[in-house]
Amino acid sequence: MSTPARSDRRQAETDGTWRRFLPQTLAILLLLGGIAGYLGGTNAVRLIDDGTVRTVRTYANTVQGLLHHAGVTLSPHDVVEPAPAKLIRAGVTVVVARGRPVTLTLDGRTATRWVTSRTVAELTTALKLDTAKVQLSETPVTPIPRHGMRLTIRTEKRLVLLHDGERKRLTTYAATSAELLQEQGLRIEGRDEVKPALNRSLAGARYVRLIRVTVKPKREIVKLDPPVRIRKNPEWMLDQQATVNPGHPGRADQRAEYIYRDGKFSERKVISSKTLVEPEPKVVRKGTRPYPPDDTGLNWEALAECEAGGNPRAVSADGTYHGLYQFNVDMWHRMGGIGLPSEATPREQTYRAIRLYKAAGADQWPHCGPRLFT
């Protein structure tokens, strides 16, 4: 049976033990409370950085803040989804796709482009290419490293090859016309031509044509057409012109090439020319006076249709009447025209007809004159 003194001593020891551990207990309780408070005020965000997945808890309320909190640094060619300025919420997934430089030769065209694809297969999908109809310089599962790579892709092409009189439908992965001709065992000789050109991509091409070119040199004496010299006449209307001196042709000693494509004559190319006789220039006088506006308000088109069927080169059966308004030559000259009415422009013919109407009225066209007023 315990005595009162012993009981008091035990109570004192218990009190001392509790006082000793009280600070540690309070610290643990404060820590647990802080963790609970922290967890209660953050968002849990799933972050996928170039395929690596992790969960980040953050106070940030934007994608940009999350990336900063997670220590993610972006390069100019990286792509983030959602965009950095977007707000985030619990449960959202943020994806960072890292940019990679790829020197891509696609059907003969080479360019460096930045891509976010991590494998060759992903890249062909991004390029919207049918993986069953391409040839790759790397396997589809080959990873694209962050520092980049070189890749050659040839697509399947269905086209027609034309050569030496033959027409051949074929399927090929050749990138250029040169590769296709080599594939088909065709040689280019001399000045043969290829369309599309040898180094051009065949992407989208429907035909490739090999043209056999034959060149025949020739030396010959040829006629030189006289040059034309214009003399302006301010008294004549703009469309009026007349040959003052027809000139005379000259002669030249020329070396030329006659070029045949696929056996048919195509062109004559002058290699050198030595003038033997200088041509005498042809002199043409041309008017410079502008036409005044038509102030009659009459239907000249209807009159021309009635008189000549609207044909400015019309000539009557006996050769007396010419042009849109069937002028006789004498009346034409009296109205200021030169040459034949049917050789003048429609604009000049209408101008002379207006002058005739103002001088003598619509009676000059007894049958068709009333059409002017329709």
Side-chain angles (χ1 to χ4, degrees):
M1 184 172 183
S2 298
T3 65
R6 184 178 299 173
S7 177
D8 291 342
R9 190 168 53 252
R10 289 176 180 173
Q11 181 65 41
E13 290 175 354
T14 301
D15 292 344
T17 302
W18 170 252
R19 290 189 186 96
R20 256 194 335 270
F21 288 103
L22 180 59
Q24 291 92 329
T25 302
L26 290 174
I28 292 172
L29 290 174
L30 288 172
L31 178 61
L32 292 174
I35 292 174
Y38 171 77
L39 294 176
T42 60
N43 288 320
V45 180
R46 187 166 178 255
L47 176 62
I48 304 176
D49 185 359
D50 208 34
T52 301
V53 183
R54 58 176 164 144
T55 299
V56 179
R57 300 198 69 93
T58 179
Y59 281 110
N61 58 4
T62 66
V63 173
Q64 186 173 3
L66 165 71
L67 297 178
H68 177 74
H69 179 83
V72 175
T73 302
L74 300 177
S75 72
H77 300 286
D78 295 340
V79 178
V80 180
E81 183 64 33
K86 292 290 186 179
L87 297 176
I88 59 174
R89 63 186 185 280
V92 73
T93 297
V94 175
V95 179
V96 178
R98 299 292 184 170
R100 293 159 161 79
V102 174
T103 301
L104 177 64
T105 301
L106 178 58
D107 282 331
R109 298 170 180 163
T110 301
T112 298
R113 61 176 74 188
W114 285 86
V115 303
T116 57
S117 305
R118 291 186 293 121
T119 65
V120 171
E122 288 181 12
L123 178 57
T124 56
T125 300
L127 294 173
K128 298 181 180 179
L129 299 175
D130 185 347
T131 54
K133 296 182 178 180
V134 295
Q135 287 183 345
L136 305 169
S137 61
E138 304 286 345
T139 64
V141 296
T142 300
I144 301 176
R146 290 281 292 276
H147 63 266
M149 69 182 301
R150 302 184 71 90
L151 179 66
T152 298
I153 301 178
R154 290 177 169 83
T155 63
E156 180 186 275
K157 304 163 193 72
R158 297 178 184 274
L159 48 78
V160 175
L161 175 62
L162 305 169
H163 71 95
D164 303 305
E166 296 184 15
R167 180 186 180 93
K168 187 183 202 178
R169 293 185 179 275
L170 49 84
T171 300
T172 181
Y173 286 92
T176 63
S177 296
E179 287 187 10
L180 176 65
L181 296 182
Q182 184 178 18
E183 175 186 282
Q184 297 296 314
L186 295 172
R187 295 181 58 186
I188 299 176
E189 301 175 352
R191 288 159 67 172
D192 289 350
E193 300 170 356
V194 181
K195 297 181 179 181
L198 286 174
N199 59 348
R200 291 288 298 275
S201 171
L202 292 182
R206 297 176 60 188
Y207 296 90
V208 173
R209 182 181 178 190
L210 171 58
I211 304 169
R212 299 299 186 185
V213 178
T214 304
V215 179
K216 296 182 179 180
K218 189 174 183 180
R219 182 176 178 179
E220 52 194 352
I221 305 300
V222 299
K223 181 177 72 172
L224 299 178
D225 293 331
V228 178
R229 292 181 181 173
I230 304 297
R231 292 181 181 175
K232 297 180 180 180
N233 186 340
E235 299 301 320
W236 285 3
M237 307 308 293
L238 278 173
D239 294 335
Q240 286 185 283
Q241 69 176 43
T243 299
V244 178
N245 183 348
H248 293 286
R251 287 188 303 147
D253 182 359
Q254 292 185 347
R255 289 177 55 245
E257 291 180 342
Y258 285 79
I259 300 174
Y260 298 80
R261 290 180 168 85
D262 285 337
K264 296 181 180 179
F265 174 73
S266 177
E267 63 177 307
R268 177 182 183 269
K269 184 178 181 180
V270 177
I271 304 303
S272 65
S273 181
K274 180 180 180 180
T275 300
L276 303 176
V277 177
E278 289 285 350
E280 180 184 345
K282 176 181 179 180
V283 180
V284 176
R285 182 175 295 168
K286 297 188 71 172
T288 61
R289 186 177 175 186
Y291 287 96
D294 176 15
D295 57 0
T296 65
L298 300 178
N299 193 344
W300 295 101
E301 185 177 346
L303 177 61
E305 184 66 31
C306 178
E307 287 285 338
N311 179 10
R313 302 290 171 247
V315 179
S316 65
D318 60 2
T320 302
Y321 301 101
H322 297 252
L324 291 171
Y325 307 102
Q326 292 294 281
F327 274 95
N328 63 51
V329 177
D330 178 64
M331 182 62 73
W332 175 257
H333 291 163
R334 286 165 59 187
M335 291 298 108
I338 58 176
L340 298 176
S342 54
E343 295 174 349
T345 64
R347 180 168 61 172
E348 184 185 353
Q349 291 184 42
T350 299
Y351 171 70
R352 304 298 170 192
I354 291 172
R355 291 194 62 183
L356 178 58
Y357 170 80
K358 289 183 175 181
D363 291 341
Q364 295 298 312
W365 301 278
H367 175 67
C368 295
R371 300 293 184 92
L372 284 170
F373 308 100
T374 59

